[in-house]
PDB file of all heavy atoms in Angstrom:
ATOM      1  N   ALA A  87      -3.549 -68.279 -28.094  1.00 98.00           N
ATOM      2  CA  ALA A  87      -3.664 -67.998 -29.527  1.00 98.00           C
ATOM      3  C   ALA A  87      -3.056 -66.671 -29.860  1.00 98.00           C
ATOM      4  O   ALA A  87      -2.364 -66.568 -31.018  1.00 98.00           O
ATOM      5  CB  ALA A  87      -5.165 -68.050 -29.881  1.00 98.00           C
ATOM      6  N   ARG A  88      -3.259 -65.614 -29.150  1.00 98.00           N
ATOM      7  CA  ARG A  88      -2.703 -64.341 -29.364  1.00 98.00           C
ATOM      8  C   ARG A  88      -1.127 -64.271 -29.423  1.00 98.00           C
ATOM      9  O   ARG A  88      -0.524 -63.625 -30.146  1.00 98.00           O
ATOM     10  CB  ARG A  88      -3.351 -63.292 -28.476  1.00 98.00           C
ATOM     11  CG  ARG A  88      -4.764 -63.037 -28.858  1.00 98.00           C
ATOM     12  CD  ARG A  88      -5.316 -61.909 -28.024  1.00 98.00           C
ATOM     13  NE  ARG A  88      -6.807 -61.860 -28.320  1.00 98.00           N
ATOM     14  CZ  ARG A  88      -7.653 -60.829 -27.846  1.00 98.00           C
ATOM     15  NH1 ARG A  88      -7.105 -59.896 -27.061  1.00 98.00           N
ATOM     16  NH2 ARG A  88      -8.878 -60.882 -28.108  1.00 98.00           N
ATOM     17  N   ILE A  90       0.672 -66.950 -30.060  1.00 98.00           N
ATOM     18  CA  ILE A  90       1.177 -67.571 -31.200  1.00 98.00           C
ATOM     19  C   ILE A  90       1.201 -66.687 -32.421  1.00 98.00           C
ATOM     20  O   ILE A  90       2.146 -66.606 -33.199  1.00 98.00           O
ATOM     21  CB  ILE A  90       0.311 -68.818 -31.519  1.00 98.00           C
ATOM     22  CG1 ILE A  90       0.567 -69.974 -30.599  1.00 98.00           C
ATOM     23  CG2 ILE A  90       0.476 -69.367 -33.062  1.00 98.00           C
ATOM     24  CD1 ILE A  90      -0.365 -71.136 -30.634  1.00 98.00           C
ATOM     25  N   ASN A  91       0.171 -65.824 -32.584  1.00 98.00           N
ATOM     26  CA  ASN A  91       0.120 -64.831 -33.626  1.00 98.00           C
ATOM     27  C   ASN A  91       1.206 -63.866 -33.599  1.00 98.00           C
ATOM     28  O   ASN A  91       1.850 -63.443 -34.518  1.00 98.00           O
ATOM     29  CB  ASN A  91      -1.298 -64.144 -33.682  1.00 98.00           C
ATOM     30  CG  ASN A  91      -1.469 -63.372 -34.844  1.00 98.00           C
ATOM     31  OD1 ASN A  91      -1.054 -63.631 -35.982  1.00 98.00           O
ATOM     32  ND2 ASN A  91      -2.106 -62.130 -34.708  1.00 98.00           N
ATOM     33  N   ARG A  92       1.532 -63.417 -32.330  1.00 98.00           N
ATOM     34  CA  ARG A  92       2.556 -62.438 -32.096  1.00 98.00           C
ATOM     35  C   ARG A  92       3.839 -63.039 -32.476  1.00 98.00           C
ATOM     36  O   ARG A  92       4.762 -62.363 -33.189  1.00 98.00           O
ATOM     37  CB  ARG A  92       2.593 -62.004 -30.679  1.00 98.00           C
ATOM     38  CG  ARG A  92       1.567 -60.974 -30.292  1.00 98.00           C
ATOM     39  CD  ARG A  92       1.802 -60.228 -29.058  1.00 98.00           C
ATOM     40  NE  ARG A  92       2.039 -61.200 -27.891  1.00 98.00           N
ATOM     41  CZ  ARG A  92       1.016 -61.631 -27.093  1.00 98.00           C
ATOM     42  NH1 ARG A  92      -0.197 -61.256 -27.465  1.00 98.00           N
ATOM     43  NH2 ARG A  92       1.341 -62.394 -26.073  1.00 98.00           N
ATOM     44  N   LEU A  94       4.374 -65.548 -34.640  1.00 98.00           N
ATOM     45  CA  LEU A  94       4.460 -65.671 -36.154  1.00 98.00           C
ATOM     46  C   LEU A  94       4.615 -64.393 -36.905  1.00 98.00           C
ATOM     47  O   LEU A  94       5.336 -64.254 -37.937  1.00 98.00           O
ATOM     48  CB  LEU A  94       3.071 -66.287 -36.551  1.00 98.00           C
ATOM     49  CG  LEU A  94       2.897 -67.801 -36.058  1.00 98.00           C
ATOM     50  CD1 LEU A  94       1.593 -68.229 -36.663  1.00 98.00           C
ATOM     51  CD2 LEU A  94       3.949 -68.701 -36.606  1.00 98.00           C
ATOM     52  N   ALA A 101       4.707 -61.238 -44.343  1.00 97.00           N
ATOM     53  CA  ALA A 101       3.631 -62.133 -44.813  1.00 97.00           C
ATOM     54  C   ALA A 101       2.681 -61.387 -45.728  1.00 97.00           C
ATOM     55  O   ALA A 101       2.361 -60.229 -45.483  1.00 97.00           O
ATOM     56  CB  ALA A 101       2.927 -62.728 -43.603  1.00 97.00           C
ATOM     57  N   GLY A 215     -10.915 -59.712 -42.567  1.00 94.00           N
ATOM     58  CA  GLY A 215     -11.543 -60.926 -42.891  1.00 94.00           C
ATOM     59  C   GLY A 215     -10.566 -62.152 -42.699  1.00 94.00           C
ATOM     60  O   GLY A 215      -9.355 -61.905 -42.808  1.00 94.00           O
ATOM     61  N   ILE A 216     -11.147 -63.261 -42.284  1.00 96.00           N
ATOM     62  CA  ILE A 216     -10.326 -64.449 -42.008  1.00 96.00           C
ATOM     63  C   ILE A 216     -10.486 -65.350 -43.239  1.00 96.00           C
ATOM     64  O   ILE A 216     -11.545 -65.685 -43.573  1.00 96.00           O
ATOM     65  CB  ILE A 216     -10.849 -65.210 -40.667  1.00 96.00           C
ATOM     66  CG1 ILE A 216     -10.454 -64.210 -39.455  1.00 96.00           C
ATOM     67  CG2 ILE A 216     -10.115 -66.497 -40.639  1.00 96.00           C
ATOM     68  CD1 ILE A 216     -10.919 -64.856 -38.230  1.00 96.00           C
ATOM     69  N   THR A 217      -9.345 -65.767 -43.744  1.00 95.00           N
ATOM     70  CA  THR A 217      -9.331 -66.611 -44.899  1.00 95.00           C
ATOM     71  C   THR A 217      -9.042 -68.038 -44.513  1.00 95.00           C
ATOM     72  O   THR A 217      -8.031 -68.446 -44.124  1.00 95.00           O
ATOM     73  CB  THR A 217      -8.098 -66.276 -45.964  1.00 95.00           C
ATOM     74  OG1 THR A 217      -8.398 -64.841 -46.310  1.00 95.00           O
ATOM     75  CG2 THR A 217      -8.327 -67.143 -47.146  1.00 95.00           C
ATOM     76  N   PHE A 222      -5.005 -73.006 -43.137  1.00 98.00           N
ATOM     77  CA  PHE A 222      -5.464 -72.334 -41.897  1.00 98.00           C
ATOM     78  C   PHE A 222      -6.388 -73.249 -41.092  1.00 98.00           C
ATOM     79  O   PHE A 222      -6.068 -73.373 -39.888  1.00 98.00           O
ATOM     80  CB  PHE A 222      -6.371 -71.221 -42.419  1.00 98.00           C
ATOM     81  CG  PHE A 222      -6.727 -70.193 -41.268  1.00 98.00           C
ATOM     82  CD1 PHE A 222      -6.007 -69.104 -41.018  1.00 98.00           C
ATOM     83  CD2 PHE A 222      -7.841 -70.517 -40.433  1.00 98.00           C
ATOM     84  CE1 PHE A 222      -6.328 -68.283 -39.909  1.00 98.00           C
ATOM     85  CE2 PHE A 222      -8.273 -69.657 -39.467  1.00 98.00           C
ATOM     86  CZ  PHE A 222      -7.528 -68.603 -39.192  1.00 98.00           C
ATOM     87  N   VAL A 226      -5.196 -74.397 -37.176  1.00 98.00           N
ATOM     88  CA  VAL A 226      -5.886 -74.113 -35.983  1.00 98.00           C
ATOM     89  C   VAL A 226      -6.476 -75.182 -35.234  1.00 98.00           C
ATOM     90  O   VAL A 226      -6.654 -75.133 -34.073  1.00 98.00           O
ATOM     91  CB  VAL A 226      -6.976 -72.967 -36.320  1.00 98.00           C
ATOM     92  CG1 VAL A 226      -6.424 -71.744 -36.907  1.00 98.00           C
ATOM     93  CG2 VAL A 226      -8.055 -73.575 -37.224  1.00 98.00           C
ATOM     94  N   TRP A 229      -3.380 -76.691 -33.362  1.00 98.00           N
ATOM     95  CA  TRP A 229      -3.182 -75.979 -32.088  1.00 98.00           C
ATOM     96  C   TRP A 229      -4.308 -75.932 -31.199  1.00 98.00           C
ATOM     97  O   TRP A 229      -4.250 -75.287 -30.095  1.00 98.00           O
ATOM     98  CB  TRP A 229      -2.944 -74.351 -32.631  1.00 98.00           C
ATOM     99  CG  TRP A 229      -1.791 -74.294 -33.449  1.00 98.00           C
ATOM    100  CD1 TRP A 229      -0.650 -75.034 -33.551  1.00 98.00           C
ATOM    101  CD2 TRP A 229      -1.499 -73.159 -34.422  1.00 98.00           C
ATOM    102  NE1 TRP A 229       0.343 -74.533 -34.405  1.00 98.00           N
ATOM    103  CE2 TRP A 229      -0.232 -73.422 -35.030  1.00 98.00           C
ATOM    104  CE3 TRP A 229      -2.249 -72.068 -34.844  1.00 98.00           C
ATOM    105  CZ2 TRP A 229       0.296 -72.587 -36.056  1.00 98.00           C
ATOM    106  CZ3 TRP A 229      -1.769 -71.192 -35.720  1.00 98.00           C
ATOM    107  CH2 TRP A 229      -0.443 -71.441 -36.428  1.00 98.00           C
ATOM    108  N   TRP A 231      -7.201 -74.514 -31.290  1.00 98.00           N
ATOM    109  CA  TRP A 231      -7.962 -73.218 -31.116  1.00 98.00           C
ATOM    110  C   TRP A 231      -9.558 -73.661 -31.350  1.00 98.00           C
ATOM    111  O   TRP A 231     -10.325 -72.958 -30.843  1.00 98.00           O
ATOM    112  CB  TRP A 231      -7.618 -72.247 -32.195  1.00 98.00           C
ATOM    113  CG  TRP A 231      -6.392 -71.667 -32.104  1.00 98.00           C
ATOM    114  CD1 TRP A 231      -5.387 -71.982 -31.053  1.00 98.00           C
ATOM    115  CD2 TRP A 231      -5.618 -70.681 -32.811  1.00 98.00           C
ATOM    116  NE1 TRP A 231      -4.233 -71.115 -31.158  1.00 98.00           N
ATOM    117  CE2 TRP A 231      -4.326 -70.347 -32.189  1.00 98.00           C
ATOM    118  CE3 TRP A 231      -6.058 -69.951 -33.932  1.00 98.00           C
ATOM    119  CZ2 TRP A 231      -3.451 -69.425 -32.847  1.00 98.00           C
ATOM    120  CZ3 TRP A 231      -5.113 -69.011 -34.435  1.00 98.00           C
ATOM    121  CH2 TRP A 231      -3.900 -68.700 -33.909  1.00 98.00           C
ATOM    122  N   VAL A 244     -12.520 -68.914 -34.589  1.00 98.00           N
ATOM    123  CA  VAL A 244     -11.137 -68.249 -34.465  1.00 98.00           C
ATOM    124  C   VAL A 244     -11.306 -66.690 -34.396  1.00 98.00           C
ATOM    125  O   VAL A 244     -10.573 -66.075 -33.762  1.00 98.00           O
ATOM    126  CB  VAL A 244     -10.261 -68.695 -35.753  1.00 98.00           C
ATOM    127  CG1 VAL A 244      -8.958 -67.832 -35.696  1.00 98.00           C
ATOM    128  CG2 VAL A 244      -9.950 -70.158 -35.711  1.00 98.00           C
ATOM    129  N   GLY A 245     -12.262 -66.133 -35.173  1.00 98.00           N
ATOM    130  CA  GLY A 245     -12.462 -64.770 -35.080  1.00 98.00           C
ATOM    131  C   GLY A 245     -12.791 -64.351 -33.773  1.00 98.00           C
ATOM    132  O   GLY A 245     -12.530 -63.133 -33.291  1.00 98.00           O
ATOM    133  N   LEU A 247     -11.469 -65.199 -31.108  1.00 98.00           N
ATOM    134  CA  LEU A 247     -10.264 -65.272 -30.274  1.00 98.00           C
ATOM    135  C   LEU A 247      -9.442 -63.893 -30.450  1.00 98.00           C
ATOM    136  O   LEU A 247      -8.474 -63.604 -29.696  1.00 98.00           O
ATOM    137  CB  LEU A 247      -9.412 -66.414 -30.553  1.00 98.00           C
ATOM    138  CG  LEU A 247     -10.045 -67.692 -30.401  1.00 98.00           C
ATOM    139  CD1 LEU A 247      -9.079 -68.851 -30.808  1.00 98.00           C
ATOM    140  CD2 LEU A 247     -10.468 -67.912 -28.892  1.00 98.00           C
ATOM    141  N   PHE A 248      -9.714 -63.117 -31.516  1.00 98.00           N
ATOM    142  CA  PHE A 248      -8.804 -62.029 -31.931  1.00 98.00           C
ATOM    143  C   PHE A 248      -9.590 -60.750 -32.235  1.00 98.00           C
ATOM    144  O   PHE A 248     -10.732 -60.853 -32.629  1.00 98.00           O
ATOM    145  CB  PHE A 248      -8.005 -62.420 -33.182  1.00 98.00           C
ATOM    146  CG  PHE A 248      -7.119 -63.514 -33.026  1.00 98.00           C
ATOM    147  CD1 PHE A 248      -7.498 -64.890 -33.211  1.00 98.00           C
ATOM    148  CD2 PHE A 248      -5.795 -63.296 -32.649  1.00 98.00           C
ATOM    149  CE1 PHE A 248      -6.510 -65.839 -33.051  1.00 98.00           C
ATOM    150  CE2 PHE A 248      -4.795 -64.231 -32.515  1.00 98.00           C
ATOM    151  CZ  PHE A 248      -5.203 -65.576 -32.654  1.00 98.00           C
ATOM    152  N   PRO A 249      -8.974 -59.695 -32.009  1.00 98.00           N
ATOM    153  CA  PRO A 249      -9.647 -58.326 -32.416  1.00 98.00           C
ATOM    154  C   PRO A 249      -9.856 -58.353 -33.986  1.00 98.00           C
ATOM    155  O   PRO A 249      -9.026 -58.965 -34.770  1.00 98.00           O
ATOM    156  CB  PRO A 249      -8.699 -57.305 -32.055  1.00 98.00           C
ATOM    157  CG  PRO A 249      -7.741 -57.981 -31.015  1.00 98.00           C
ATOM    158  CD  PRO A 249      -7.725 -59.295 -31.427  1.00 98.00           C
ATOM    159  N   SER A 251      -9.454 -56.196 -36.208  1.00 96.00           N
ATOM    160  CA  SER A 251      -8.276 -55.595 -36.892  1.00 96.00           C
ATOM    161  C   SER A 251      -7.171 -56.463 -37.153  1.00 96.00           C
ATOM    162  O   SER A 251      -6.398 -56.153 -38.088  1.00 96.00           O
ATOM    163  CB  SER A 251      -7.750 -54.361 -36.005  1.00 96.00           C
ATOM    164  OG  SER A 251      -7.340 -54.815 -34.877  1.00 96.00           O
ATOM    165  N   GLU A 252      -7.072 -57.587 -36.505  1.00 97.00           N
ATOM    166  CA  GLU A 252      -5.943 -58.568 -36.693  1.00 97.00           C
ATOM    167  C   GLU A 252      -6.315 -59.681 -37.673  1.00 97.00           C
ATOM    168  O   GLU A 252      -5.341 -60.457 -38.043  1.00 97.00           O
ATOM    169  CB  GLU A 252      -5.457 -59.087 -35.397  1.00 97.00           C
ATOM    170  CG  GLU A 252      -4.912 -58.122 -34.450  1.00 97.00           C
ATOM    171  CD  GLU A 252      -4.481 -58.744 -33.150  1.00 97.00           C
ATOM    172  OE1 GLU A 252      -4.320 -59.970 -33.109  1.00 97.00           O
ATOM    173  OE2 GLU A 252      -4.194 -57.983 -32.177  1.00 97.00           O
ATOM    174  N   TRP A 253      -7.486 -59.836 -38.073  1.00 97.00           N
ATOM    175  CA  TRP A 253      -8.015 -60.999 -38.829  1.00 97.00           C
ATOM    176  C   TRP A 253      -7.215 -61.072 -40.159  1.00 97.00           C
ATOM    177  O   TRP A 253      -6.719 -62.289 -40.545  1.00 97.00           O
ATOM    178  CB  TRP A 253      -9.433 -60.820 -39.168  1.00 97.00           C
ATOM    179  CG  TRP A 253     -10.357 -61.098 -37.991  1.00 97.00           C
ATOM    180  CD1 TRP A 253      -9.948 -61.424 -36.757  1.00 97.00           C
ATOM    181  CD2 TRP A 253     -11.753 -60.976 -38.042  1.00 97.00           C
ATOM    182  NE1 TRP A 253     -11.098 -61.545 -35.929  1.00 97.00           N
ATOM    183  CE2 TRP A 253     -12.209 -61.310 -36.694  1.00 97.00           C
ATOM    184  CE3 TRP A 253     -12.735 -60.771 -39.021  1.00 97.00           C
ATOM    185  CZ2 TRP A 253     -13.577 -61.314 -36.333  1.00 97.00           C
ATOM    186  CZ3 TRP A 253     -14.079 -60.712 -38.610  1.00 97.00           C
ATOM    187  CH2 TRP A 253     -14.465 -61.096 -37.277  1.00 97.00           C
ATOM    188  N   THR A 254      -6.993 -60.137 -41.055  1.00 97.00           N
ATOM    189  CA  THR A 254      -6.380 -60.222 -42.263  1.00 97.00           C
ATOM    190  C   THR A 254      -4.887 -60.707 -42.062  1.00 97.00           C
ATOM    191  O   THR A 254      -4.456 -61.792 -42.765  1.00 97.00           O
ATOM    192  CB  THR A 254      -6.435 -58.958 -43.088  1.00 97.00           C
ATOM    193  OG1 THR A 254      -7.756 -58.673 -43.251  1.00 97.00           O
ATOM    194  CG2 THR A 254      -5.732 -59.104 -44.400  1.00 97.00           C
ATOM    195  N   MET A 255      -4.129 -60.056 -41.230  1.00 97.00           N
ATOM    196  CA  MET A 255      -2.668 -60.518 -41.113  1.00 97.00           C
ATOM    197  C   MET A 255      -2.594 -61.824 -40.430  1.00 97.00           C
ATOM    198  O   MET A 255      -1.709 -62.635 -40.595  1.00 97.00           O
ATOM    199  CB  MET A 255      -1.990 -59.413 -40.365  1.00 97.00           C
ATOM    200  CG  MET A 255      -1.745 -58.110 -41.214  1.00 97.00           C
ATOM    201  SD  MET A 255      -0.912 -58.531 -42.848  1.00 97.00           S
ATOM    202  CE  MET A 255       0.573 -59.277 -42.362  1.00 97.00           C
ATOM    203  N   LEU A 256      -3.620 -62.157 -39.441  1.00 98.00           N
ATOM    204  CA  LEU A 256      -3.513 -63.404 -38.795  1.00 98.00           C
ATOM    205  C   LEU A 256      -3.638 -64.439 -39.966  1.00 98.00           C
ATOM    206  O   LEU A 256      -2.949 -65.493 -39.870  1.00 98.00           O
ATOM    207  CB  LEU A 256      -4.704 -63.550 -37.831  1.00 98.00           C
ATOM    208  CG  LEU A 256      -5.049 -64.983 -37.281  1.00 98.00           C
ATOM    209  CD1 LEU A 256      -4.003 -65.385 -36.453  1.00 98.00           C
ATOM    210  CD2 LEU A 256      -6.465 -65.108 -36.743  1.00 98.00           C
ATOM    211  N   SER A 257      -4.472 -64.376 -40.881  1.00 98.00           N
ATOM    212  CA  SER A 257      -4.617 -65.318 -41.959  1.00 98.00           C
ATOM    213  C   SER A 257      -3.324 -65.491 -42.689  1.00 98.00           C
ATOM    214  O   SER A 257      -2.938 -66.625 -42.903  1.00 98.00           O
ATOM    215  CB  SER A 257      -5.716 -64.887 -42.978  1.00 98.00           C
ATOM    216  OG  SER A 257      -6.951 -64.660 -42.259  1.00 98.00           O
ATOM    217  N   HIS A 258      -2.676 -64.363 -42.952  1.00 98.00           N
ATOM    218  CA  HIS A 258      -1.315 -64.399 -43.671  1.00 98.00           C
ATOM    219  C   HIS A 258      -0.295 -65.156 -42.819  1.00 98.00           C
ATOM    220  O   HIS A 258       0.470 -66.062 -43.381  1.00 98.00           O
ATOM    221  CB  HIS A 258      -0.792 -63.083 -44.042  1.00 98.00           C
ATOM    222  CG  HIS A 258      -1.646 -62.304 -45.046  1.00 98.00           C
ATOM    223  ND1 HIS A 258      -2.330 -63.052 -46.144  1.00 98.00           N
ATOM    224  CD2 HIS A 258      -2.011 -61.092 -45.240  1.00 98.00           C
ATOM    225  CE1 HIS A 258      -3.020 -62.221 -46.850  1.00 98.00           C
ATOM    226  NE2 HIS A 258      -2.807 -60.960 -46.364  1.00 98.00           N
ATOM    227  N   HIS A 259      -0.229 -64.863 -41.592  1.00 98.00           N
ATOM    228  CA  HIS A 259       0.697 -65.530 -40.694  1.00 98.00           C
ATOM    229  C   HIS A 259       0.510 -67.008 -40.669  1.00 98.00           C
ATOM    230  O   HIS A 259       1.534 -67.765 -40.839  1.00 98.00           O
ATOM    231  CB  HIS A 259       0.641 -64.931 -39.223  1.00 98.00           C
ATOM    232  CG  HIS A 259       1.003 -63.449 -39.119  1.00 98.00           C
ATOM    233  ND1 HIS A 259       0.417 -62.706 -38.224  1.00 98.00           N
ATOM    234  CD2 HIS A 259       1.723 -62.667 -39.899  1.00 98.00           C
ATOM    235  CE1 HIS A 259       0.988 -61.392 -38.323  1.00 98.00           C
ATOM    236  NE2 HIS A 259       1.680 -61.400 -39.401  1.00 98.00           N
ATOM    237  N   VAL A 260      -0.717 -67.422 -40.420  1.00 98.00           N
ATOM    238  CA  VAL A 260      -1.038 -68.890 -40.327  1.00 98.00           C
ATOM    239  C   VAL A 260      -0.763 -69.565 -41.563  1.00 98.00           C
ATOM    240  O   VAL A 260      -0.064 -70.610 -41.570  1.00 98.00           O
ATOM    241  CB  VAL A 260      -2.439 -69.103 -39.838  1.00 98.00           C
ATOM    242  CG1 VAL A 260      -2.794 -70.552 -39.781  1.00 98.00           C
ATOM    243  CG2 VAL A 260      -2.626 -68.508 -38.421  1.00 98.00           C
ATOM    244  N   ILE A 261      -1.215 -69.022 -42.664  1.00 97.00           N
ATOM    245  CA  ILE A 261      -1.008 -69.720 -44.006  1.00 97.00           C
ATOM    246  C   ILE A 261       0.445 -69.734 -44.408  1.00 97.00           C
ATOM    247  O   ILE A 261       0.959 -70.773 -44.858  1.00 97.00           O
ATOM    248  CB  ILE A 261      -1.921 -68.956 -45.059  1.00 97.00           C
ATOM    249  CG1 ILE A 261      -3.338 -69.149 -44.831  1.00 97.00           C
ATOM    250  CG2 ILE A 261      -1.498 -69.521 -46.549  1.00 97.00           C
ATOM    251  CD1 ILE A 261      -4.226 -68.281 -45.677  1.00 97.00           C
ATOM    252  N   PHE A 262       1.213 -68.723 -44.016  1.00 97.00           N
ATOM    253  CA  PHE A 262       2.654 -68.738 -44.294  1.00 97.00           C
ATOM    254  C   PHE A 262       3.282 -69.839 -43.491  1.00 97.00           C
ATOM    255  O   PHE A 262       4.098 -70.573 -44.066  1.00 97.00           O
ATOM    256  CB  PHE A 262       3.187 -67.361 -43.995  1.00 97.00           C
ATOM    257  CG  PHE A 262       3.648 -66.464 -45.146  1.00 97.00           C
ATOM    258  CD1 PHE A 262       2.754 -66.153 -46.085  1.00 97.00           C
ATOM    259  CD2 PHE A 262       5.005 -66.057 -45.357  1.00 97.00           C
ATOM    260  CE1 PHE A 262       2.987 -65.439 -47.085  1.00 97.00           C
ATOM    261  CE2 PHE A 262       5.309 -65.276 -46.427  1.00 97.00           C
ATOM    262  CZ  PHE A 262       4.399 -64.953 -47.358  1.00 97.00           C
ATOM    263  N   HIS A 263       2.942 -69.895 -42.327  1.00 98.00           N
ATOM    264  CA  HIS A 263       3.533 -70.868 -41.366  1.00 98.00           C
ATOM    265  C   HIS A 263       3.227 -72.356 -41.864  1.00 98.00           C
ATOM    266  O   HIS A 263       4.063 -73.323 -41.830  1.00 98.00           O
ATOM    267  CB  HIS A 263       3.107 -70.691 -39.867  1.00 98.00           C
ATOM    268  CG  HIS A 263       3.853 -71.550 -38.981  1.00 98.00           C
ATOM    269  ND1 HIS A 263       5.162 -71.410 -38.764  1.00 98.00           N
ATOM    270  CD2 HIS A 263       3.385 -72.528 -38.066  1.00 98.00           C
ATOM    271  CE1 HIS A 263       5.534 -72.229 -37.875  1.00 98.00           C
ATOM    272  NE2 HIS A 263       4.483 -72.986 -37.406  1.00 98.00           N
TER     273      HIS A 263
END
Side-chain angles (χ1 to χ4, degrees):
R88 293 185 182 184
I90 286 176
N91 188 38
R92 288 195 300 272
L94 294 180
I216 292 177
T217 304
F222 191 95
V226 299
W229 296 335
W231 290 3
V244 175
L247 304 176
F248 295 88
S251 59
E252 296 182 13
W253 286 358
T254 299
M255 287 310 298
L256 167 70
S257 301
H258 293 326
H259 296 153
V260 174
I261 293 169
F262 252 59
H263 190 62

